[in-house]
């Protein structure tokens, strides 16, 4: 039965319709763009200390993954499947704690530039990216040094953390770069989906970051925590750490987060606006509702 048979909707029913309606892509775009504008205005000192905290905190992903693996039997086929859940811990703490994570900024800070390209905004993005990335690296490096040299973790747990991190040693730089693209895409998706969803941030972050671990994809900040752990444990040298792991994963994450995700979403917004502008108008100048 149609609404006209039952009479017009009441005010409370109209509120229910609004509440239950899916958020349109242009609205999500505007939410993320506004968040990006706010991030671009943040003082450098605020960005640095927040990024440093994120770099230190992301080490908890390696700690949790190593701790779970250390507690599980060595010969069970599902050991890695379960231990990968620990990978999400650092991301949950960083993102829910509103710390600055470089890979989130590959979409959040770029959308304002895509909406209104200016050299001034490009300079602001360069400032934000540089500060946050350097701070993330310093934090991850400090956390790794504390774990290796200060004995914060027991020997068994540290050995398990190194074992978890050692998967990076079996990848070529090109593999790390390519596997960084889906990781950048997934982390960029976190910001986009959280803006579209009404709550459920915990599960959004958990599922998408767990997917990174399951796919054995390379995330530059979490990977840096593992890389510095391997460096200070004597498993690789500084050149291998920087040129062989960190730089390729950085490039892959930027391609995935900015090139693959942000630009595609920007294109979909333009198509949505174009489609709406081409819909025919009635005699009163309004566009009729689409039939279902």
């Amino acid at each position: 039965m149609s609404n006209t048979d039952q009479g017009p909707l009441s005010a409370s029913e109209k509120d229910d319709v609004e509440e239950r309606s899916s958020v349109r892509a242009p609205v999500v775009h505007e939410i993320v763009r506004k968040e990006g504008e706010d991030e671009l205005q943040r003082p450098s000192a605020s960005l640095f200390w927040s990024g440093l905290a994120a770099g230190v905190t992301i080490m908890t992903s390696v700690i949790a993954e190593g701790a779970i693996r250390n507690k599980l039997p060595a010969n069970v086929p599902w050991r890695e499947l379960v231990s990968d859940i620990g990978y999400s811990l650092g991301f949950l703490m960083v993102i829910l704690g509103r710390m600055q994570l470089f890979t989130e900024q590959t979409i959040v800070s770029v959308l304002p530039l895509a909406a209104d390209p200016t050299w001034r905004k490009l300079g602001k993005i360069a400032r934000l990216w540089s500060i946050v990335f350097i701070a993330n690296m310093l934090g991850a490096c400090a956390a790794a040094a504390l774990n290796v040299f200060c004995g914060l973790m027991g020997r068994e747990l540290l050995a398990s953390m190194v074992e978890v991190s050692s998967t990076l040693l079996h990848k070529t730089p090109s593999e790390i770069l390519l596997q960084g693209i889906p990781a950048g895409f997934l982390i960029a998706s976190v910001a986009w989906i959280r803006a579209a969803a009404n709550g459920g941030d915990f599960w959004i972050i958990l599922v998408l970051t767990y997917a990174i671990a399951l796919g054995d994809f390379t995330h530059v900040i979490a990977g840096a925590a593992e890389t510095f752990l391997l460096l200070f444990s004597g498993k690789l040298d500084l050149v291998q750490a920087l040129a062989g792991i960190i730089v390729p994963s950085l490039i892959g994450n930027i391609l995935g987060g900015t090139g693959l995700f942000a630009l595609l979403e920007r294109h979909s917004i333009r198509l949505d606006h174009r489609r709406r502008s081409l819909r025919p108008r009635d005699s009163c100048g309004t566009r009729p509702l689409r039939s279902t």
Side-chain angles (χ1 to χ4, degrees):
M1 185 178 294
S2 65
N3 290 337
T4 55
D5 296 329
Q6 297 178 341
L9 295 177
S10 66
S12 62
E13 289 173 329
K14 290 179 179 179
D15 289 340
D16 287 340
V17 170
E18 286 292 328
E19 186 175 342
R20 299 188 184 199
S21 296
S22 298
V23 180
R24 294 192 299 113
V27 177
V28 179
H29 177 276
E30 184 60 19
I31 292 171
V32 179
R33 187 200 64 78
K34 177 63 169 60
E35 183 180 348
E37 293 281 7
D38 293 340
E39 293 295 337
L40 291 176
Q41 301 304 320
R42 288 186 65 175
S44 297
S46 175
L47 292 172
F48 177 81
W49 289 110
S50 181
L52 188 71
V56 172
T57 304
I58 206 70
M59 179 60 77
T60 58
S61 286
V62 188
I63 295 172
E65 197 171 354
I68 295 172
R69 180 174 295 201
N70 185 47
K71 298 296 182 181
L72 293 175
N75 299 322
V76 293
W78 41 265
R79 186 186 187 202
E80 188 172 350
L81 182 69
V82 176
S83 66
D84 280 347
I85 297 175
Y87 184 82
S88 298
L89 178 61
F91 289 95
L92 285 165
M93 295 174 67
V94 168
I95 298 173
L96 293 179
R98 302 294 294 174
M99 302 175 200
Q100 288 288 336
L101 186 67
F102 174 78
T103 42
E104 267 199 303
Q105 297 299 340
T106 56
I107 179 174
V108 172
S109 62
V110 166
L111 288 186
L113 179 67
D116 181 25
T118 63
W119 287 108
R120 186 168 179 268
K121 282 190 177 179
L122 183 62
K124 286 185 175 182
I125 290 175
R127 177 189 73 96
L128 185 148
W129 280 22
S130 300
I131 294 172
V132 172
F133 180 72
I134 291 171
N136 285 171
M137 290 294 106
L138 290 175
C141 182
L146 287 171
N147 279 286
V148 173
F149 300 124
C150 297
L152 297 184
M153 304 297 150
R155 291 183 179 180
E156 288 187 3
L157 176 54
L158 182 59
S160 185
M161 291 164 60
V162 171
E163 179 187 351
V164 166
S165 305
S166 294
T167 56
L168 290 172
L169 299 175
H170 307 297
K171 297 181 179 182
T172 65
S174 60
E175 289 173 335
I176 289 174
L177 189 154
L178 292 174
Q179 292 167 13
I181 294 176
F185 183 93
L186 287 166
I187 291 297
S189 299
V190 171
W192 189 269
I193 295 173
R194 287 176 67 208
N198 185 17
D201 287 4
F202 176 90
W203 297 107
I204 293 169
I205 300 166
L206 178 67
V207 170
L208 292 178
T209 54
Y210 184 46
I212 295 175
L214 286 178
D216 200 22
F217 302 136
T218 50
H219 182 270
V220 64
I221 309 303
E226 296 176 323
T227 301
F228 288 128
L229 198 65
L230 293 171
L231 175 66
F232 296 139
S233 299
K235 302 295 183 181
L236 77 172
D237 58 39
L238 184 60
V239 173
Q240 290 174 307
L242 296 177
I245 299 176
I246 292 177
V247 171
S249 58
L250 171 64
I251 296 171
N253 287 174
I254 291 174
L255 290 175
T258 301
L260 184 60
F261 191 88
L263 295 183
L264 285 177
E265 285 301 330
R266 179 63 183 167
H267 181 61
S268 72
I269 298 299
R270 287 176 176 172
L271 289 179
D272 184 75
H273 285 315
R274 182 181 301 174
R275 176 179 58 80
R276 291 177 182 277
S277 66
L278 293 176
R279 281 169 54 192
R281 297 175 182 267
D282 60 18
S283 59
C284 296
T286 59
R287 293 188 181 94
L289 295 176
R290 290 175 296 177
S291 60
T292 56

